[in-house]
Amino acid sequence: MSQKSDQGPGAQTVGAVKPQGPRLRVEASPAGSGNERLGSSDLMEQACERQNLRAALKRVRQNAGSPGIDGMTVEELPDHLRGHWPRLREELLAGRYQPQPVRRVTIPKPGGGERELGIPTVLDRLIQQALLQVLQPLFDPTFSDASYGFRPGRSAHDAVRRAQAYVQEGRSFVVDIDLEKFFDRVNHDILMGRLAERIADRRVLRLIRRYLNAGVLANGVVIEREEGTPQGVLLDEVDKELERRGHAFVRYADDLNVYVRTQRSGERVMASLRKLFGKLKLRVNETKSKVTRATASKFLGFSFWIATGRTIRRRVAPQAIRRMKERVRELTRRSAGRSLAQMCKPLGTYLSGWKAYFRLADTPRAFADIDGWVRHRLRAVQLKHWKRGEVIYRELLARGMPPEAARRVAANSRRWWHNSAMAPNMALPNDLFKRLGVPKLAS
């Protein structure tokens, strides 16, 4: 429930801290929506029940993740709870529990620059997860049917399929909205006002407010925050208004696409959304938001193309392929004396996850091309690892390559990428990479 999907010392607000805790998606409906307050005044007791805590602990351990500012690991959390849970439970039930600041780290962004992540302590991740499990069943039924992010029984794939159906219906233009640093711009007072309309247990409200206000530890100094949100979204109000107007739209967290039939309709929708977001004190990123052809846009890593018979098909967006190749290059850089087998282990884990997500794409040939590129890359890395011509010749020969072919490769020992296409597949066959755990993406 700490601060989220972009990127200071002093008494100013730290922007762009992406949270690494459970995704507590606390979307509140607008005032006057007719929704009564959710749950009773004993939500905190429900959150602290043994069965709920066991489920929360299991989830936190499955998610793993780095330690927060106290250095405690996920593996150390059960022992800590055995010794301290009675006191922690008393603090939670009395409304006195104080979350610790999140630890700030930076990671490279795919397009350059850095993104800041805010990592809560594992104890705070447990408490957030316990609250999520109590609140989500109460809030979720009230959310829009067009909202898919972080909801039980719904996935990014479901959102992509719905978007595809809209395009297939003839809604060939899309209003693609990008909110400027959304998860750092949400006004706490607006969010808490919406939640207070729905949650009866004041202790839960106070704890959510404390998580929102939890500082960021930077260079040993805790910097206070005045904006930023949990990994949840305050966009249900936007959903309800889009539904009232009869728009065809899909939203996954802060990724919002509205599908229309003409460019002119799209421009009108864009203008109305700017006003609606302004009421929530959110800003549309004008450089990234646009009205464009649906086949020229991307959504959750996918884009659409028109196949035979005007059928709309799914494919991996070019930007997603570029990011994947950047990541493969990072994982296969020859450093620290790593062997091919050592490189292939994390590479296999990454590609397996990538394959599982993008299996929805209808482009088997593109996957086959990526398979070829990955194997080409691995062969080039292995040749570069051997370095000298005589070593390359000896290693290729030992792996069954004919002497003349091995000699040709060794003679161009510094041209790694070129050499990797000169029949080293005889010595470094596809089966080798399969045995080392690198999955084949194409079916």
Side-chain angles (χ1 to χ4, degrees):
M1 185 166 43
S2 59
Q3 305 88 319
K4 181 186 170 224
S5 144
D6 241 274
Q7 3 346 24
Q12 70 221 32
T13 300
V14 176
V17 178
K18 183 177 180 180
Q20 295 296 291
R23 305 176 186 275
L24 177 53
R25 184 177 179 280
V26 281
E27 301 193 22
S29 296
S33 65
N35 289 316
E36 298 178 356
R37 286 188 176 178
L38 298 176
S40 60
S41 59
D42 68 343
L43 287 175
M44 190 64 80
E45 279 81 5
Q46 295 176 38
C48 292
E49 286 180 357
R50 179 180 294 273
Q51 186 175 357
N52 187 57
L53 285 168
R54 283 180 172 173
L57 179 60
K58 181 179 180 181
R59 187 60 182 268
V60 169
R61 296 181 75 174
Q62 286 174 340
N63 291 341
S66 302
I69 63 168
D70 60 358
M72 186 189 302
T73 65
V74 172
E75 293 74 20
E76 294 169 336
L77 180 58
D79 285 340
H80 179 81
L81 292 174
R82 275 188 282 271
H84 298 275
W85 178 245
R87 174 184 57 80
L88 293 168
R89 182 178 185 276
E90 181 183 351
E91 290 178 1
L92 287 166
L93 296 181
R96 297 195 307 269
Y97 179 79
Q98 291 287 347
Q100 295 191 65
V102 297
R103 178 169 65 89
R104 186 172 68 179
V105 299
T106 58
I107 61 171
K109 293 174 65 175
E114 292 184 328
R115 170 176 286 119
E116 292 185 355
L117 305 182
I119 303 178
T121 65
V122 292
L123 176 60
D124 281 321
R125 299 209 291 266
L126 172 76
I127 295 170
Q128 291 171 19
Q129 181 65 36
L131 283 175
L132 169 65
Q133 291 168 181
V134 169
L135 292 176
Q136 192 169 53
L138 301 176
F139 273 92
D140 195 76
T142 72
F143 294 150
S144 167
D145 185 58
S147 173
Y148 288 85
F150 317 132
R151 296 181 65 182
R154 290 172 171 243
S155 69
H157 286 178
D158 296 327
V160 171
R161 289 189 186 98
R162 184 161 184 165
Q164 179 186 10
Y166 285 142
V167 181
Q168 187 67 66
E169 290 173 2
R171 302 174 191 275
S172 52
F173 288 84
V174 61
V175 183
D176 186 354
I177 296 290
D178 184 273
L179 293 176
E180 194 172 279
K181 294 185 177 179
F182 171 72
F183 286 94
D184 304 293
R185 298 292 187 194
V186 170
N187 182 282
H188 290 176
D189 291 333
I190 292 177
L191 175 59
M192 292 308 302
R194 298 297 193 272
L195 292 178
E197 296 165 5
R198 308 291 303 282
I199 296 176
D201 193 328
R202 295 293 168 179
R203 295 166 300 176
V204 171
L205 290 171
R206 286 196 295 271
L207 184 55
I208 292 174
R209 169 69 84 168
R210 287 169 184 164
Y211 274 118
L212 289 170
N213 293 337
V216 178
L217 188 70
N219 302 318
V221 177
V222 175
I223 305 168
E224 294 183 358
R225 296 179 58 91
E226 296 172 357
E227 293 182 321
T229 179
Q231 286 218 17
V233 188
L234 184 67
L235 290 179
D236 192 54
E237 186 166 333
V238 177
D239 293 344
K240 295 299 193 294
E241 181 61 21
L242 289 171
E243 287 178 342
R244 189 184 67 78
R245 298 179 187 183
H247 287 304
F249 70 99
V250 186
R251 183 169 66 78
Y252 191 96
D254 60 331
D255 286 320
L256 171 63
N257 279 6
V258 184
Y259 294 88
V260 296
R261 297 184 184 275
T262 67
Q263 178 83 23
R264 188 173 179 181
S265 296
E267 298 294 350
R268 286 199 299 268
V269 173
M270 178 71 83
S272 67
L273 284 173
R274 286 192 187 98
K275 295 179 182 177
L276 189 54
F277 287 127
K279 293 178 182 178
L280 295 173
K281 300 189 184 301
L282 298 171
R283 291 200 296 267
V284 173
N285 187 328
E286 299 294 346
T287 61
K288 294 183 178 180
S289 299
K290 58 190 179 297
V291 179
T292 186
R293 288 273 181 185
T295 51
S297 186
K298 66 179 178 68
F299 183 53
L300 302 179
F302 291 88
S303 58
F304 303 116
W305 59 287
I306 304 174
T308 305
R310 305 295 296 176
T311 301
I312 301 299
R313 300 289 189 188
R314 302 175 294 265
R315 65 181 174 186
V316 184
Q319 300 93 321
I321 292 178
R322 285 198 297 271
R323 286 196 294 269
M324 181 272 292
K325 288 189 174 182
E326 288 174 7
R327 183 59 179 150
V328 170
R329 290 187 184 99
E330 290 173 4
L331 291 170
T332 56
R333 285 201 181 101
R334 193 175 62 84
S335 60
R338 293 185 303 154
S339 66
L340 186 65
Q342 290 170 323
M343 287 182 184
C344 285
K345 186 173 181 180
L347 175 64
T349 300
Y350 170 73
L351 289 178
S352 294
W354 195 90
K355 177 181 180 179
Y357 181 74
F358 285 107
R359 70 182 187 278
L360 198 66
D362 302 313
T363 50
R365 182 170 179 177
F367 290 140
D369 290 344
I370 295 171
D371 280 332
W373 178 83
V374 169
R375 293 191 293 265
H376 195 163
R377 169 80 182 172
L378 290 172
R379 291 183 180 112
V381 167
Q382 181 61 80
L383 290 173
K384 191 172 183 179
H385 182 78
W386 287 332
K387 290 184 180 178
R388 299 191 304 277
E390 60 271 23
V391 177
I392 293 174
Y393 177 76
R394 184 179 69 243
E395 294 291 345
L396 293 177
L397 208 62
R399 286 164 173 76
M401 181 175 279
E404 185 55 35
R407 192 173 294 110
R408 284 199 303 271
V409 174
N412 295 281
S413 60
R414 305 298 294 180
R415 301 178 64 189
W416 319 117
W417 187 257
H418 174 75
N419 275 346
S420 67
M422 291 178 60
N425 57 308
M426 299 171 65
L428 300 169
N430 296 346
D431 282 349
L432 169 64
F433 305 124
K434 182 179 179 181
R435 291 195 301 272
L436 293 176
V438 179
K440 185 179 179 183
L441 302 181
S443 299

